[in-house]
Amino acid sequence: MQLLHACDSTIMEWMKLVSEVLQQDSSQLVLDGQEPLPSAEFNFWRSRLRNLHFIQQQLMSSRAQQVLSIAQSAESVYFSSLKDLHTDIQKGLDEAEDVTRNLKPVQEKLDELQQMEYQQVGDNMAAVMEEVRLVWIKSEFYCSTRVVVLLQEICTLFIQMSRSFLHGEDLMRPVGSELGQKMDDVTLVIWTLKSLKEAFRLCRTQLEDQRQDGDTLSWDFPSHLVFFRLDHFLLHLQGIQEVFSVSQQLHQLEWTVLSGVGGRTRTDMVQEVYQDFLCHVTVLSDLNCDPSDPDDQSFLKHRSQFWVQVSDLETRLVSVLSRAFVDCCVSSSGEKLVKMFGFILDRPLIHDQLRPHLVRLEEMVLEELDQIEQLFFSQREESDTFCMFTPSHAARLCWSQQLRRRAETTLNHHRTLQQLDLDSGDSYLVLQRFYHIEDLLQDFEDRLRSDWSSQLDSDCGFILEQPVIQNNQQGMLGVNCSHKLQVVLRELRYVSRKTDVKLRPSAARLFTFRDDITRNYLSLSHMVSCYKQVVSGVLPAELSLIQDQLQVLGLNQNLSELQRYTWGSEGLQQQVEQSRDTVLLLHSRVSQARANMDSMTRIIQGWAELHLLQRSGESLLELGDVEQSYKHIREEGEELLRLTQVGTSLRGRGEEQELMPLLLCSQVNRSLYGVEDSSDSWNMYLDHLDDKVLDGLFQLVLRSLHFLLDHMDPRSCSAFLTVSLRLQETGSVFEPSVGVGLSDLLQTVISDIYTAASLPLRISGSRHSNYQVSLQQSLDLSALEQEVKNRLQQVREEAELLLTRLDRYSYLWLSDRKRVMEEFLTYSRPLGPEELEAGETPPTLNDFLREINSLNTLREEVTHLDDVVLLHSWLQVDLRAFKDSLLSVVHKWRHLYTDYLLDSVSDRLQQVTPQCDDVESASSSSFPLTETIILLEAAGVQLPDRFFF
C-alpha cells in the first residue's frame, strides 16, 4: 500500500505537469495584450513538438512502465487517467507535427520577405497570404482562432518592417524642405499594407468559393479581428500622409505671384501665409519623438495643433483669393488663378468658401460664348473686319477659324473649372452653347468656300481671255490685268493650302498652269520695267539714238505681236522669252551707255571740286599741286574722248590716281548705240556731252577765281598774300613790289587757272576751239578777273599810306651824320634849314645827355612798331626787316655821341701824370671826368677796365 501510494502521488504530480504543457496556447501572448511576431507562433509550435516528444519518451521509459504496471496491478484509480493522458499526449504530438509542418512554408516566405527591399514587399503579399490559406486547407488542427492569431502576428511584422523602412525618428524632418521622398515612402507603406488586406480579401473569397463547392471551410471570423491594429496604423500613416500632402501644397505658395490691381499687396499677403506655414511645419519637424508610432500621444497632440494652424492659414488664403476672383472680369484671368492655386483649391474649407466665385467663372464662360455668337452675327458681313492684305474669302475663313479657336479656348477654361467638381448645373449649357457656335461657324465656312470657288472660277476665266500686255492711258506699255492676276494667283496659293475648297473648270485650268503663268508674269513684268527704264527719263540727246535701236532690233514689231497673245494662249512663253531677250539686250546697252555717261558726269563734276589754289600753313597763297592737277584733267579728258569715240577697254589707273573714277566698261557709247561718226544724232549727243565738259571746266575756273576773291575780301580778316618791307639806301621798299610784282603774281595765278581748261581735248567734232578760249570769252569770268584787279588797286593805296606813315623816320637814314655831329659840337644842337649863321656854343654834358635820351626814346618807339601789318584785311606786310634796319641806324646815331664822350675820357686819362693826384685839376679845360663817366654809365655804355683806378 505504501508503494501504491507513492506511485499514485508520482502519477498525480506528473499528470499535473503534463496537463499544464498540453493546455498551453499560442494565442496567450495576444490575449495578454502583447504584440508578438509570427516568429513567436513558429517557435511555440516547434517548442511544443519538442516537449511532447520528450514527454512521450518519458512515458515509454522503463521506470514509467514499472509505475504503470504497479498501478494496473493494484487497480489504482489513476491508471485510467494515466492511459487518457497518454492518449492526449499522442493527439497533441500529432497536432504539433501537423501544424509545424504546414507553418514551415509560411515561415520560409516571411523570412524571404524580410530579406527583400521594402519596395518589393507589396508585390509578395499575395504569396504570403496564399501560404496562410494553404495552412488552413492542409492542416487538420489549425482552427480559426489560430489563423486570426497568425494573421495578427503577420500584421505586426509588417508594421514593424514599415516603421523600420520609414526611419520613424526622421520621418518628419523634411516637412520644412524636401517632401517628395518621404511622401513617396509613406505612400509606398500605405500601398504595401493595403496590398496585405487585399490579398486577405482575395483568399477569403477563394475559400468562400471552395466552401460552396463543399471542399473546405471558409474564414467566417470578422476581418477586423485580424486588422484592427493594422487599420489603426494605416489611419495614423494616412494622417501623416495628409500632413505631407498639405505641406507640399502650401510649399507651392512660395512661387505664386498675383497680378492686376492690388496684385502686389495680395502677393505679399500670400507670402505672409507661406512664412507662417514654414514656422508651423518647423515645429513639427523639430519634435523629439517617433511619428510612426500610432500610440505616441505627443506627436498626436502637435499634429492636432498643426491642423488648427492650417485651418487658420486656409481661412487667410480664402480672404485673399476671394478678392482676386472678384477682380476677374473674364474667364481667362479666372482660369489663370485656378491653375495657379489649383494645388489647394481642392481643400474642403477653401473649396467651400470659394465655390460662389468659381460658379461665377462658369457663368462668365457662358457670357463669353454669348459674346462670340453676337460677334459672329454682327461682323460676318462687314468687310472692314478682315485683313486688307489677304484675299477676302481667305480672310473671312481665317476670321471664322479665329472665332472657333476663341470658343475652344473659352471651353478649355470651362474644362479647367470642371476639375473642381462644382456641380453648378451650367456644364450642359456650356457644351450646348459651344456646339451651337461650332454649327454656325461650320455653315458660314461652307458657304464661304462655295462662294469663293464660284468667284475664283469667274475671275480665272476672265484673266485667261485677256491680252498679256497693252498700252495704258498714258501711252506706256504695261502688263495687263497685273493686279487682278496677282490677286488670283495669291488666292490660288491659299486654295492649295486648303484642300476643302473645290476648284471649278477655269480656276482648275489656271491652277494647273499657275507656275507657267507666274513665270510669264514675272518675265513680262521684268521686260516692261526694263522697257520703261529705256524709254522714260530719256535725255533729248539720246532720244534719236534709242529710236534707231528700237528700229534696228525690231522691238516694236515683237511687242506688237506680243499684244495679240492672251494669258491662255498657246506658245505664250516662247513669244515672251523672245521679246524679253530683245528688250533686255536694248536695256543692257542703254544702261551701260547711261552708266558711262554717269561716269563721265562724275569725272566732270570732280573737276569742279579740284583745288588749283590753296593756302599754306603760314597763311600764304600757293598754287596747289598744279602739275598733278593738270595731269589729272588731261588724262580724264582723254578718258572722256575714249568713252565716246574708241572701241577698246579702258586701261587701269595707278595708285596715285585712285581718287579718280575707274570706268570698267568693254565698249564705248558709240559702239553701244551702234551709230556712225557722221550721224546727226551722234553729233547731237557729243555736243550735249561737250556742254557738260565746258560747264565742269567753267565751274573749276569759277571756283578758283572765287577762291581769290573770297580771300581778298576785306571782311575775311585773314592774310592771303605776304610782302616784306625793307630799308634800302634809297628808302623803304616792298619785296615783292606791291605794284608790278604783286600784279604779275596774281596774273600768273589766273593764267594757270585758265590753263587747266585747255588740257582736255574737245569732244564735239563741230566745235574747233579749245575750252580755254571759250571760257575766256565768258563775261562772268571776266567780271571776276576785274574784281581781283580792283582789290589789288585798293591794297596798293593802303601800302602807299603805310609808307607815308613810316617816312617820319626818313631823316635818320637821309641825314649826314658827320655834318650833323660837327654842327652839334659847334652850336650844341643841329641847325635848322633857316639858320644860316649862329653863334658858336660848345655843347655841355647836358646837351650830350639830351641827344642820347632822345635817341633812346626813338629806339623804344621803333622797337614797339608792329612786326606785321595787314593791309585791306588780306595783304600781310612783314615789317621785321625794316625795323631791324631802322634800329641799326638809330644805334649808329647814338654811337656818335657816346663814342665822342668815351674818346674824351680816354684822352684825359692819358694826360694824368703819376705825380698828379688831382684828376679834376688835370682836366679843368674839358668836361668833368667823373660826371662824364657817370653819364656814360647811366646811358648804358660799357666802360673799359682801364677807366677805373
Side-chain angles (χ1 to χ4, degrees), residues 852 856 859 894 898 933-943:
I852 291 172
N856 286 340
R859 182 185 62 185
R894 186 171 178 275
T898 58
I933 293 173
I934 292 173
L935 186 149
L936 290 172
E937 289 181 343
V941 178
Q942 185 69 31
L943 299 178

Side-chain angles (χ1 to χ4, degrees), residues 382-396:
E382 296 182 9
S383 58
D384 295 341
T385 304
F386 313 110
C387 179
M388 60 181 297
F389 302 107
T390 307
S392 175
H393 291 85
R396 290 171 182 266

Side-chain angles (χ1 to χ4, degrees), residues 151-282:
L151 291 175
Q152 288 180 350
E153 292 172 344
I154 291 175
C155 290
T156 302
L157 173 63
F158 285 120
I159 290 173
Q160 187 182 73
M161 291 174 63
S162 299
R163 291 183 60 185
S164 177
F165 170 72
L166 292 174
H167 303 289
E169 295 181 356
D170 298 328
L171 183 60
M172 299 302 295
R173 292 289 184 264
V175 171
S177 56
E178 297 180 0
L179 297 171
Q181 185 59 47
K182 288 297 182 179
M183 181 79 167
D184 293 342
D185 291 346
V186 172
T187 302
L188 176 63
V189 170
I190 293 174
W191 174 81
T192 301
L193 298 181
K194 286 184 175 180
S195 298
L196 177 62
K197 296 183 66 176
E198 179 63 19
F200 170 81
R201 186 188 66 79
L202 292 176
C203 286
R204 191 170 192 169
T205 301
Q206 291 176 1
L207 290 173
E208 182 68 23
D209 295 339
Q210 292 175 0
R211 185 188 68 81
Q212 293 176 359
D213 295 337
D215 294 338
T216 185
L217 297 176
S218 63
W219 287 342
D220 54 357
F221 50 85
S223 59
H224 70 84
L225 295 178
V226 176
F227 298 114
F228 70 93
R229 190 167 182 274
L230 182 67
D231 290 339
H232 180 56
F233 183 66
L234 278 174
L235 287 174
H236 183 70
L237 287 182
Q238 288 170 350
I240 295 175
Q241 186 183 39
E242 191 172 357
V243 170
F244 283 161
S245 177
V246 72
S247 299
Q248 199 170 35
Q249 291 172 342
L250 295 178
H251 261 298
Q252 298 182 54
L253 294 175
E254 181 181 4
W255 299 282
T256 56
V257 178
L258 293 170
S259 59
V261 179
R264 180 63 181 272
T265 302
R266 292 168 187 168
T267 300
D268 293 340
M269 295 173 67
V270 172
Q271 292 305 310
E272 289 178 4
V273 171
Y274 173 70
Q275 294 299 326
D276 291 345
F277 157 72
L278 290 181
C279 296
H280 299 329
V281 296
T282 301

Side-chain angles (χ1 to χ4, degrees), residues 864-902:
H864 287 87
L865 288 176
D866 293 332
D867 291 340
V868 175
V869 176
L870 197 60
L871 300 181
H872 207 54
S873 299
W874 61 268
L875 180 62
Q876 177 177 288
V877 179
D878 189 352
L879 296 177
R880 287 174 295 183
F882 174 80
K883 286 175 58 179
D884 293 342
S885 299
L886 186 56
L887 285 174
S888 177
V889 172
V890 171
H891 280 294
K892 289 179 181 179
W893 279 100
R894 186 171 178 275
H895 281 304
L896 283 176
Y897 300 100
T898 58
D899 288 350
Y900 180 85
L901 292 176
L902 282 173

Side-chain angles (χ1 to χ4, degrees), residues 627-801:
E627 292 302 326
Q628 184 66 25
S629 298
Y630 286 174
K631 183 180 179 182
H632 186 89
I633 295 172
R634 186 182 298 109
E635 290 183 352
E636 290 192 339
E638 296 173 358
E639 193 76 24
L640 294 177
L641 195 64
R642 203 160 39 245
L643 284 170
T644 56
Q645 301 289 342
V646 186
T648 58
S649 298
L650 299 179
R651 56 187 173 85
R653 307 282 189 188
E655 290 183 358
E656 70 279 8
Q657 295 172 316
E658 60 186 12
L659 293 178
M660 296 189 299
L662 303 178
L663 304 175
L664 304 176
C665 58
S666 61
Q667 292 185 348
V668 292
N669 285 10
R670 182 169 61 82
S671 301
L672 293 172
Y673 287 120
V675 296
E676 299 295 333
D677 288 339
S678 59
S679 172
D680 292 338
S681 58
W682 178 245
N683 289 329
M684 185 186 303
Y685 183 81
L686 291 180
D687 291 343
H688 171 76
L689 183 58
D690 189 80
D691 292 338
K692 282 181 170 288
V693 174
L694 184 61
D695 183 67
L697 294 173
F698 175 83
Q699 296 297 329
L700 171 63
V701 175
L702 184 67
R703 176 189 178 91
S704 301
L705 291 177
H706 273 300
F707 179 87
L708 287 175
L709 287 175
D710 291 343
H711 288 84
M712 295 174 72
D713 191 343
R715 294 169 296 182
S716 65
C717 296
S718 61
F720 176 53
L721 295 174
T722 299
V723 296
S724 177
L725 183 63
R726 297 183 181 276
L727 184 59
Q728 299 180 357
E729 293 181 358
T730 58
S732 55
V733 294
F734 289 102
E735 292 183 1
S737 172
V738 175
V740 178
L742 192 58
S743 177
D744 291 344
L745 173 63
L746 290 176
Q747 189 60 44
T748 301
V749 171
I750 293 173
S751 177
D752 290 339
I753 292 172
Y754 276 103
T755 300
S758 67
L759 299 176
L761 296 178
R762 199 82 192 212
I763 291 179
S764 174
S766 60
R767 301 171 184 175
H768 302 294
S769 60
N770 65 20
Y771 295 110
Q772 181 180 358
V773 175
S774 299
L775 292 178
Q776 287 175 339
Q777 297 173 357
S778 171
L779 297 179
D780 293 337
L781 298 180
S782 298
L784 293 177
E785 288 184 58
Q786 186 59 42
E787 182 65 22
V788 171
K789 294 177 181 179
N790 293 340
R791 293 184 181 179
L792 179 59
Q793 180 59 35
Q794 292 172 356
V795 87
R796 285 178 185 170
E797 295 173 359
E798 285 200 16
E800 293 298 330
L801 292 176

Side-chain angles (χ1 to χ4, degrees), residues 53 236 345 453 611 703 850 853:
H53 272 300
H236 183 70
L345 291 181
S453 177
H611 296 280
R703 176 189 178 91
R850 183 191 70 240
N853 287 339

